[in-house]
Amino acid sequence: SREKHLNKMQLLHQEKVEFQFQVLRNQVNPHFLFNSFNTLISTIEDNPKAAVDYVEQLSEFFRNIVNYRDKDVISLGEELQLMNTYFYLQQKRYGNSLVLKIDISDQLKKDCFVPPLTLQLLVENAIKHNAVSKESILSIHLYTENDSRLLISNNINPKISPEKGTGMGLQNIINRYHILSENPVLVNNANGYFTVSLPVLKQ
């Protein structure tokens, strides 16, 4: 039993290191910074006060990545705060064409835990792989199922020129949950919606 536990912890450590690298590679990349600075420049011209708020949110986002990168799990409330910061940065770019709806109880935010940056990465994937415009509004919905599963779903807006991805981000999430829970991550791509179902982790 002890050997099994040690092996499990070693696997979790390996997945965590790979995940840290993947997140940093995804976030600190020319496209993300280029889009962020473009948004900032246009905001400075139109609304200097809003530009200050944007910089503060961008700084908070990177600070949280540093703070959470060494943790195996964080509370759902902490993860939602990070996800909301990321969404704020993206919505400044896309405006009302990007929608996020969260139906999570305050109690579950305290009692439920997730691997850091899981929901943020799933929101990022939704934006990355779908068209977002006034004609193609992207709506992301986060909710629970019997308080035993956490689901994040988005409508599918196919891009004219699909962006190629490695699929490593989602696979890493699946691998980490495989170590942390006996219940699997479920992925469903049907009826015009892409949904990822995560087992609820409780201490």
Side-chain angles (χ1 to χ4, degrees):
S1 177
R2 181 174 179 275
E3 184 178 349
K4 183 179 178 181
H5 175 73
L6 289 174
N7 288 337
K8 202 170 188 179
M9 293 306 295
Q10 179 62 25
L11 282 172
L12 182 60
H13 176 71
Q14 291 174 358
E15 289 294 337
K16 184 168 66 175
V17 170
E18 291 176 11
F19 185 73
Q20 289 171 1
F21 176 73
Q22 182 73 19
V23 167
L24 290 175
R25 187 172 66 179
N26 284 349
Q27 301 303 346
V28 190
N29 69 52
H31 292 293
F32 180 78
L33 294 177
F34 178 78
N35 291 331
S36 296
F37 287 136
N38 269 351
T39 301
L40 179 59
I41 290 170
S42 62
T43 305
I44 288 174
E45 295 174 349
D46 297 334
N47 190 335
K49 184 179 182 304
V52 173
D53 292 338
Y54 186 87
V55 171
E56 290 176 347
Q57 292 294 319
L58 187 62
S59 175
E60 180 71 11
F61 178 68
F62 282 108
R63 185 184 302 115
N64 282 335
I65 287 180
V66 173
N67 289 340
Y68 295 150
R69 66 181 180 180
D70 292 325
K71 296 185 178 182
D72 294 330
V73 294
I74 59 176
S75 72
L76 178 56
E78 290 174 310
E79 175 69 12
L80 286 175
Q81 185 176 4
L82 188 144
M83 184 190 74
N84 281 327
T85 302
Y86 177 78
F87 183 80
Y88 170 89
L89 297 172
Q90 296 296 339
Q91 194 174 46
K92 283 296 180 181
R93 178 185 176 193
Y94 293 107
N96 294 332
S97 299
L98 184 62
V99 178
L100 175 64
K101 182 180 180 182
I102 300 175
D103 290 317
I104 304 290
S105 69
D106 290 337
Q107 191 62 44
L108 201 62
K109 291 176 185 178
K110 298 177 183 177
D111 296 341
C112 178
F113 293 81
V114 296
L117 305 166
T118 297
L119 298 179
Q120 179 273 326
L121 182 60
L122 292 174
V123 169
E124 179 185 343
N125 282 348
I127 297 172
K128 179 180 179 181
H129 295 294
N130 289 280
V132 186
S133 66
K134 291 181 180 179
E135 294 75 26
S136 301
I137 295 176
L138 180 64
S139 181
I140 303 170
H141 188 197
L142 179 64
Y143 58 102
T144 58
E145 191 176 75
N146 301 323
D147 281 352
S148 63
R149 283 197 163 269
L150 190 63
L151 290 87
I152 183 164
S153 178
N154 64 269
N155 59 307
I156 299 174
N157 295 330
K159 285 185 172 181
I160 296 176
S161 300
E163 188 171 341
K164 291 184 178 180
T166 63
M168 290 299 294
L170 180 57
Q171 187 58 51
N172 191 284
I173 290 173
I174 293 172
N175 293 346
R176 297 185 81 190
Y177 269 90
H178 179 69
I179 297 169
L180 292 166
S181 173
E182 295 179 354
N183 298 315
V185 172
L186 304 176
V187 179
N188 185 33
N189 186 354
N191 301 320
Y193 286 87
F194 184 83
T195 304
V196 177
S197 174
L198 309 168
V200 166
L201 304 177
K202 293 187 177 180
Q203 288 189 339

